[in-house]
C-alpha cells in the first residue's frame, strides 16, 4: 500500500448542521490526515464544472443547486490507501445502504444531501485536488 491523497468535500447539509468537526473526527480516527482544508461557497459554474461527469444524470441540476446552497469545506486527506479508505469511511452514496458507523450512515440526510464527497480513483483524486488547491496549499 502506498501513501495517497484524495479530495474530500464536506457538503452544505453538514456545514449547516455544524458537523465539520464531527466529520473530521471520523477521518482522523480512521488514520486519514487533513493536509489541506478551506471553507468556500461554490458558484453555480464551479459546481457544474466539478460535477460535469454527471451532467446527463436526472439529478444533476438539483445536485448543483444543493452544492451551492451553503458553504462547503474542501479538503485533501492523506494516508495509506487514502482513496479507498475514505470511500469506506464515507459509506454508500444512499445513507439507507450505508454501513453502520460510516459518515453517511451517521450524518447524511438523504441520497443527495449525503454530507461528504470523496474521489473515487487515483486519476480523479489528482484532477479533483488540482480543481481546488495549489501545490503550496497542501502541507503533509
Ligand atoms: P458518490 O458521491 O458516492 O461518489 P455519485 O458520484 O454517484 O456518488 O453521485 C454524486 C453525488 O450526486 C452524490 O454524492 C449525491 O450527492 C448525488 N446523487 C447521486 N445519486 C443521486 C440520486 N439518485 N438522487 C439524487 N442525488 C444523487
Ligand atoms: Mg462520485
Amino acid at each position: 500500500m502506498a501513501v495517497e491523497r484524495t479530495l474530500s468535500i464536506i457538503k452544505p447539509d453538514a456545514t449547516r448542521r455544524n458537523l465539520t468537526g464531527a466529520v473530521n473526527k471520523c477521518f482522523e480516527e480512521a488514520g486519514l490526515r487533513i493536509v489541506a482544508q478551506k471553507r468556500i461557497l461554490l458558484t453555480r459554474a464551479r459546481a457544474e464544472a466539478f460535477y460535469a461527469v454527471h451532467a446527463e444524470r436526472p439529478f444533476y441540476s438539483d445536485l448543483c443547486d444543493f452544492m451551492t446552497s451553503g458553504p462547503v469545506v474542501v479538503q485533501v486527506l492523506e494516508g495509506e490507501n487514502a482513496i479507498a479508505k475514505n470511500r469506506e469511511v464515507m459509506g454508500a452514496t444512499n445513507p439507507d445502504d450505508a454501513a453502520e458507523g460510516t459518515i453517511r450512515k451517521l450524518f447524511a440526510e438523504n441520497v443527495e444531501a449525503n454530507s461528504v464527497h470523496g474521489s473515487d480513483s487515483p486519476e480523479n483524486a489528482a484532477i479533483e485536488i488540482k480543481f481546488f488547491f495549489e501545490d503550496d496549499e497542501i502541507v503533509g
Side-chain angles (χ1 to χ4, degrees):
M1 276 195 303
V3 173
E4 294 176 337
R5 287 178 173 175
T6 190
L7 191 278
S8 166
I9 306 177
I10 303 178
K11 295 184 178 183
D13 67 286
T15 62
R16 180 166 40 77
R17 288 174 289 150
N18 208 22
L19 292 172
T20 299
V23 170
N24 281 346
K25 185 162 184 272
C26 295
F27 296 142
E28 293 184 340
E29 282 178 353
L32 293 164
R33 304 181 73 85
I34 301 160
V35 295
Q37 175 166 260
K38 55 190 173 190
R39 181 174 167 108
I40 59 172
L41 199 53
L42 286 174
T43 62
R44 176 83 192 186
R46 209 155 159 70
E48 286 175 356
F50 184 76
Y51 278 118
V53 64
H54 293 309
E56 304 308 319
R57 308 281 284 277
F59 57 79
Y60 177 65
S61 183
D62 275 357
L63 175 61
C64 293
D65 286 344
F66 164 62
M67 290 299 288
T68 56
S69 67
V72 297
V73 177
V74 294
Q75 318 172 291
V76 180
L77 307 181
E78 183 180 84
E80 288 285 334
N81 208 19
I83 297 161
K85 181 178 282 183
N86 183 40
R87 296 290 303 194
E88 227 176 272
V89 174
M90 289 164 60
T93 307
N94 187 336
D96 292 343
D97 303 328
E100 290 299 329
T102 61
I103 292 170
R104 283 168 165 170
K105 183 68 170 190
L106 287 167
F107 303 123
E109 294 183 321
N110 53 59
V111 66
E112 177 182 84
N114 59 4
S115 302
V116 280
H117 166 87
S119 306
D120 62 7
S121 67
E123 295 72 28
N124 285 337
I127 293 166
E128 292 178 357
I129 288 169
K130 272 200 188 318
F131 190 91
F132 287 111
F133 292 98
E134 301 296 333
D135 286 348
D136 66 1
E137 293 179 303
I138 306 168
V139 183

